[in-house]
Amino acid sequence: MKHKTMISLWIGVIIIISSSFLTYSQLKEADELLQAAKLLMFDKKWDEAQKKLERIIELYPHSLTTPQAVFYRAKCLENKNGGEEEALQAYKNYIGSERKSSAWAQEAELSIIKLAFILHEKGRSSYLNEIEKRLFRTDKVVKYFAAIKMSAVKDKKQALKALPVLEEILKKEKDIELKDRAKIAMLRIDPEYFRSFEEERYERRARILKI
């Protein structure tokens, strides 16, 4: 009985070791595929890179490499002609992932805004909602970029929605380049509104100086 028990234990140990080795082998292959995909992306070979990234996602969904593969796949789609809609959805999938990086999630949000603007310009008006939603984000980088992009929409009624955020930039932010971009955006939407806004700010500063 003891002999049989020892054999069973050794078989268990061998299975565990084999499983560990297989897992390490899979992780190694996933990492090699990711590095190869990055090189292909550097050379702008988007289709080839995408295939390698999709292989990681399909074969190793629980790998630590997979969230990066999901993000880079979206990048490949973004850089392909006609890939805007699929890329936008791929970025949304990345943002919805529990294993996302906060820095890359922010970059994904900015890419969604750019892609939504392109799709809107191509006549897909429903995608404007993707920009509008981001006017209310707590992340200022995303919110400000959404406002500047919204200011370029040809439908002035829609573009007007960016004004509260542009005012926030001009009132609260200190970065000169950012404020200049907000001024240009506001002028693009409504030059008269911009002049009134600037006059009001000037008068307010004058009153403070008198006090």
Side-chain angles (χ1 to χ4, degrees):
M1 181 67 74
K2 285 184 179 180
H3 183 65
K4 286 183 179 178
T5 304
M6 287 299 294
I7 291 172
S8 298
L9 284 171
W10 277 111
I11 290 170
V13 169
I14 290 165
I15 289 169
I16 290 168
I17 292 170
S18 299
S19 300
S20 300
F21 178 76
L22 189 62
T23 303
Y24 172 77
S25 175
Q26 289 174 334
L27 289 172
K28 188 171 182 292
E29 185 181 352
D31 188 60
E32 286 171 354
L33 283 167
L34 181 66
Q35 297 312 316
K38 285 181 180 179
L39 287 172
L40 289 165
M41 289 174 71
F42 182 79
D43 292 332
K44 300 188 187 324
K45 295 179 179 178
W46 308 113
D47 284 319
E48 293 175 52
Q50 184 183 333
K51 285 175 185 175
K52 290 191 181 296
L53 295 165
E54 286 173 351
R55 184 174 169 79
I56 296 169
I57 296 163
E58 182 184 353
L59 296 179
Y60 314 113
H62 304 297
S63 164
L64 294 172
T65 308
T66 303
Q68 296 179 61
V70 173
F71 179 83
Y72 285 128
R73 177 180 176 272
K75 278 285 175 198
C76 290
L77 290 165
E78 184 180 1
N79 283 281
K80 289 164 64 176
N81 289 330
E84 297 93 356
E85 192 170 9
E86 197 176 350
L88 191 149
Q89 187 56 53
Y91 279 124
K92 288 174 79 172
N93 291 344
Y94 178 78
I95 291 167
S97 167
E98 292 181 357
R99 296 190 291 162
K100 63 181 177 289
S101 147
S102 57
W104 284 8
Q106 185 187 78
E107 190 176 338
E109 292 277 13
L110 300 179
S111 289
I112 287 171
I113 293 166
K114 286 187 283 187
L115 290 163
F117 183 81
I118 291 167
L119 287 163
H120 176 263
E121 290 288 286
K122 287 184 174 182
R124 308 290 296 278
S125 57
S126 62
Y127 279 98
L128 193 63
N129 186 51
E130 294 291 349
I131 303 175
E132 187 178 343
K133 284 192 297 188
R134 285 162 178 81
L135 293 171
F136 303 96
R137 288 287 195 266
T138 53
D139 185 335
K140 291 196 295 185
V141 173
V142 173
K143 178 168 68 171
Y144 292 169
F145 185 64
I148 289 165
K149 224 40 174 163
M150 183 69 92
S151 74
V153 172
K154 291 172 186 174
D155 183 344
K156 292 303 173 189
K157 186 179 177 181
Q158 296 293 336
L160 285 168
K161 294 175 182 178
L163 287 175
V165 179
L166 296 172
E167 282 191 27
E168 181 183 330
I169 294 170
L170 293 172
K171 286 176 180 177
K172 296 182 179 180
E173 298 300 327
K174 299 190 186 311
D175 185 278
I176 293 170
E177 185 180 347
L178 175 61
K179 292 179 82 167
D180 283 344
R181 290 184 72 188
K183 286 177 183 178
I184 292 166
M186 196 178 279
L187 274 166
R188 187 189 293 131
I189 298 168
D190 189 338
E192 194 58 43
Y193 185 94
F194 174 73
R195 277 191 286 273
S196 298
F197 177 78
E198 286 293 278
E199 284 172 10
E200 185 184 333
R201 289 181 71 209
Y202 176 78
E203 288 170 5
R204 193 183 303 116
R205 281 197 298 266
R207 284 197 298 271
I208 291 168
L209 286 171
K210 285 180 181 178
I211 293 168

